[in-house]
Amino acid sequence: MATNKLLGYLESRKNIAGSAGGLAGLALTFVGVAGPYWPVVVGGLYGAGALIAPPERPVLPDFPDPSAQLDEIRTDFDRLKDYLAGVELPPAAAGRLTELTELLAALLDPGWVTEVLVQDPEGVHTLSRAVRQDVPEAVDTFVRTRWWTRLAPGQESPERHLERQLTLLHEEAERLAAGLRETEARRQESHTRYLEDRSK
């Protein structure tokens, strides 16, 4: 531990600036300016250099790798599919849910989609929110409220609400997929131009 601190200080800006000041003090000593007080001059210039040195840069935080985040989302998506398999839904909502889960599965499929997606933090967040919050919340709300509506007829059915929610989530996932396709197309065009320029 003490060795690490010592090594850290030896590589620090304060030590480097102080050492430069100390070397200047030694140069003054050899020229004959410092005289018998050379240790004070060298030490003073080292201290002055260490004081005026710029502060150390803080260490960059170690953020999780986006591909590791996608692995976690895939695991959660598998858990979500297990939950959805045990829920009974009306045919129209079940169809919308199947379309949505198929699209989410395609977006989470390892391959070129992952390569493009890891460079889009907003897209990763959108997928994470859909898998971990939006879809399970929509389905769970339907399951809980469909029994209450039987006691209070005349309101819009929870089935209709669920269908609309799933449709909106599907549209959001489609926009994400379209954005990823566009990004990949731009990347291919850029690489083609690079190869064309290189061959000239």
Side-chain angles (χ1 to χ4, degrees):
M1 187 68 150
T3 307
N4 288 343
K5 286 186 177 180
L6 177 63
L7 288 174
Y9 179 75
L10 289 175
E11 296 172 348
S12 70
R13 294 179 180 189
K14 288 189 177 300
N15 185 49
I16 292 170
S19 297
L23 286 173
L26 284 174
L28 290 175
T29 301
F30 289 128
V31 174
V33 175
Y37 302 106
W38 70 268
V40 175
V41 172
V42 171
L45 287 175
Y46 177 88
L51 285 175
I52 64 170
E56 293 295 320
R57 283 193 314 247
V59 179
L60 280 173
D62 187 21
F63 293 116
D65 180 20
S67 58
Q69 284 182 291
L70 285 174
D71 289 339
E72 292 172 10
I73 297 171
R74 284 186 193 103
T75 302
D76 290 343
F77 183 60
D78 289 338
R79 289 171 48 206
L80 174 64
K81 288 190 294 187
D82 291 342
Y83 162 73
L84 295 175
V87 176
E88 194 175 317
L89 297 177
R96 295 304 294 163
L97 183 61
T98 300
E99 291 173 5
L100 175 59
T101 53
E102 286 174 355
L103 182 53
L104 291 174
L107 287 168
L108 287 168
D109 191 38
W112 74 266
V113 178
T114 299
E115 292 174 17
V116 179
L117 194 56
V118 293
Q119 299 180 24
D120 181 10
E122 192 61 40
V124 173
H125 175 70
T126 299
L127 266 179
S128 172
R129 189 183 59 219
V131 168
R132 294 172 172 161
Q133 179 182 343
D134 294 337
V135 174
E137 193 173 292
V139 173
D140 184 59
T141 302
F142 164 77
V143 170
R144 282 185 287 116
T145 58
R146 69 177 168 178
W147 303 109
W148 291 107
T149 53
R150 293 178 180 173
L151 301 175
Q155 298 178 355
E156 190 170 11
S157 70
E159 290 86 352
R160 183 71 190 117
H161 280 291
L162 178 61
E163 284 176 43
R164 287 197 347 232
Q165 290 168 9
L166 294 174
T167 300
L168 292 169
L169 289 171
H170 189 270
E171 289 170 359
E172 182 180 49
E174 280 184 325
R175 285 193 299 273
L176 175 59
L180 294 175
R181 281 192 298 269
E182 189 177 316
T183 300
E184 178 62 11
R186 281 198 307 266
R187 192 168 76 170
Q188 286 181 336
E189 288 172 15
S190 174
H191 188 64
T192 302
R193 282 196 303 273
Y194 162 73
L195 292 174
E196 288 172 349
D197 292 344
R198 197 175 72 179
S199 64
K200 289 179 183 176

